[in-house]
Amino acid sequence: MAEAAMGGNLEHARETGDGSDVSTISAAAPAEVGLRFEVDGEIATVTLDRPDKRNAQTFATWSALARIGETLPEQVRVVVVKGEGPSFSAGIDLRMFRPEGVPGQGSFASAAALGDTEFEQRIAEAQKGFLWLRKPEIVSIAAVQGHAIGAGFQLALACDLRVVADDVKFCMKEPALGLVPDLTGTKPLADIVGVPRAIEMCLTARTVGAAEAVRLGLAEIAVPASELAQAVQDLAAALLSTDRAAAAATKRLLQAAPGRTLEEQAAAERAEQVARIRALFGAN
Ligand code: ACO
C-alpha cells in the first residue's frame, strides 16, 4: 500500500497588487493538516486523522483534499473517505470563530475583512476539496461513524454513497451558528431528501440517526460500528466488479438525468452507447 505524504507546500496564497498576502489558506505540515491518503490498487482511502479533535476540519484540510483530487492516480476507481476515532468529523475547527483563529489560516474575523471577490475565492478554494469526489471516473464512499456535523456532514454528502455505523449522528449545524452550509452540501442534501425535509433538517440543526438516514436515502446501509470497514470493503469490491469505462459512462448518465428531459436523456444514452459499443466491438 503506497502512502502519499500530504503536506509539503500546501500554501494557496494570493497577492494583492501591492504584493501583500491577503488570503493565505494553508501552509500546514501533514500532521497539522490531519489527513492520510493511501492507495491500494484501484481503491484510494482518505482518512481524516485528528481523532483527538474529532477530525475537525480547517482550510488546510480542504486544500489538502483538493490536492488529492487533482493528483489522484489514474488507476483509482473507488475513493473511500473515513474518519479516525469515535467521530467521522465534528465539522469546522471551532478556533475559526475565535479572534486568534487557526495558526497560519486566520479566523472568520480576518476573512470578514477580505473584499467580496477574495472572500468568495477563498470559499471556492475550500469547495474544490469536496467537488472532485463526484468525478464520473470514480465512485466515492463515505464511511461514517459517530458525529458528522456541519463540514463533516457536507463531506459525507460530497461522496456518491454513504455507508454508516448505527451510531451515526448527522447534523447540519451551520444555521445554528449563524452560517450557511457552503461546502457543496446543500444540493446533494436537497436532491436526496427533498427541499422540505432539507429545510426542516438544516433550520432546526437537529440530529439524524442511522435508521432515519437509511430511510431518507442519506445512507445506503447502516451496520454495527464494528462492521463498518468490512461493509465499505464489500461495497468497493462490488463496485469494482463492473467494467471501468461503462461504470464512468453510466455515472455520467445518472448524474445528468435529473437536469434533463426524457428525450434529452434518451439522446445522451444513445451517444454513450455508441461510444461503448464502438470501443468494445469496433474495428481499430
Ligand atoms: N473544532 C475544534 N475542536 C473540536 C471540535 C471542533 N469542531 N469538536 C471537538 N473538538 C475537540 C474538543 O474541543 C476536545 O478537545 P480537548 O480534548 O482538547 O478539550 C476534543 O475535540 C474532544 O471533544 P469532546 O467534545 O470532548 O468530544 P465528545 O465526543 O464528547 O463530543 C462532539 C463530540 C459532539 C462532536 C463535540 O465535540 C462537539 O459538539 N463539537 C463541536 C461541533 C460543532 O459545532 N462543529 C461546527 C459545525 S459548523 C461547520 O462545520 C461549518
Side-chain angles (χ1 to χ4, degrees), residues 9-14 23-27 63 66-67 70 125:
N9 182 11
L10 290 171
E11 195 156 26
H12 285 225
R14 282 185 309 282
S23 57
T24 298
I25 288 178
S26 161
S63 288
R67 191 163 150 201
E70 284 158 12
E125 291 290 333

Side-chain angles (χ1 to χ4, degrees), residues 52-54 56 90-94 147 149-151 173-174 177:
D52 54 322
K53 299 294 177 194
R54 300 298 180 264
I92 197 167
D93 194 311
L94 293 175
H147 290 97
I149 303 177
K173 190 150 178 203
E174 285 83 347
L177 300 172

Side-chain angles (χ1 to χ4, degrees), residues 165-191:
D166 51 16
D167 68 347
V168 77
K169 294 178 191 70
F170 287 118
C171 172
M172 201 66 93
K173 190 150 178 203
E174 285 83 347
L177 300 172
L179 304 174
V180 298
D182 67 344
L183 294 168
T184 77
T186 55
K187 181 162 174 58
L189 181 65
D191 284 349

Side-chain angles (χ1 to χ4, degrees), residues 1-262:
M1 183 176 287
E3 182 155 343
M6 293 312 305
N9 182 11
L10 290 171
E11 195 156 26
H12 285 225
R14 282 185 309 282
E15 295 190 339
T16 58
D18 65 6
S20 62
D21 170 11
V22 294
S23 57
T24 298
I25 288 178
S26 161
E32 211 177 314
V33 170
L35 273 186
R36 290 203 322 269
F37 176 58
E38 289 138 349
V39 177
D40 185 6
E42 294 177 307
I43 303 177
T45 303
V46 179
T47 306
L48 302 170
D49 192 17
R50 223 159 51 109
D52 54 322
K53 299 294 177 194
R54 300 298 180 264
N55 300 323
Q57 303 171 36
T58 65
F59 278 93
T61 316
W62 303 325
S63 288
L65 277 172
R67 191 163 150 201
I68 290 171
E70 284 158 12
T71 58
L72 196 69
E74 214 170 296
Q75 84 260 21
V76 171
R77 292 185 56 191
V78 171
V79 176
V80 176
V81 180
K82 66 188 183 69
E84 205 61 66
S87 297
F88 176 74
S89 173
I92 197 167
D93 194 311
L94 293 175
R95 289 177 297 175
M96 284 297 292
F97 289 85
R98 300 195 200 117
E100 66 274 21
V102 178
Q105 300 180 56
S107 63
F108 281 134
S110 62
L114 296 171
D116 285 359
T117 309
E118 292 288 341
F119 200 167
E120 287 196 26
Q121 183 55 35
R122 185 168 181 183
I123 297 171
E125 291 290 333
Q127 290 171 332
K128 279 187 198 163
F130 294 67
L131 287 169
W132 65 273
L133 290 159
R134 296 279 182 196
K135 286 197 318 189
E137 295 76 21
I138 58 168
V139 179
S140 49
I141 307 171
V144 190
Q145 82 287 2
H147 290 97
I149 303 177
F153 191 6
Q154 294 192 72
L155 182 57
L157 284 165
C159 293
D160 294 309
L161 307 172
R162 282 149 293 281
V163 176
V164 302
D166 51 16
D167 68 347
V168 77
K169 294 178 191 70
F170 287 118
C171 172
M172 201 66 93
K173 190 150 178 203
E174 285 83 347
L177 300 172
L179 304 174
V180 298
D182 67 344
L183 294 168
T184 77
T186 55
K187 181 162 174 58
L189 181 65
D191 284 349
I192 294 168
V193 305
V195 172
R197 177 63 70 203
I199 290 173
E200 177 271 322
M201 208 182 271
C202 294
L203 274 58
T204 61
R206 74 177 172 87
T207 294
V208 175
E212 185 181 6
V214 171
R215 184 163 50 80
L216 291 175
L218 280 172
E220 274 48 63
I221 184 174
V223 296
S226 61
E227 295 169 21
L228 183 61
Q230 188 60 51
V232 170
Q233 206 176 308
D234 292 348
L235 177 56
L239 288 163
L240 291 175
S241 70
T242 52
D243 178 86
R244 179 186 199 112
T250 304
K251 182 172 166 186
R252 261 196 308 273
L253 279 173
L254 293 171
Q255 283 181 312
R260 290 197 186 121
T261 64
L262 183 58

Side-chain angles (χ1 to χ4, degrees), residues 253 257 259-271:
L253 279 173
R260 290 197 186 121
T261 64
L262 183 58
E263 289 72 21
E264 289 165 345
Q265 185 69 1
E269 288 175 359
R270 293 194 294 273

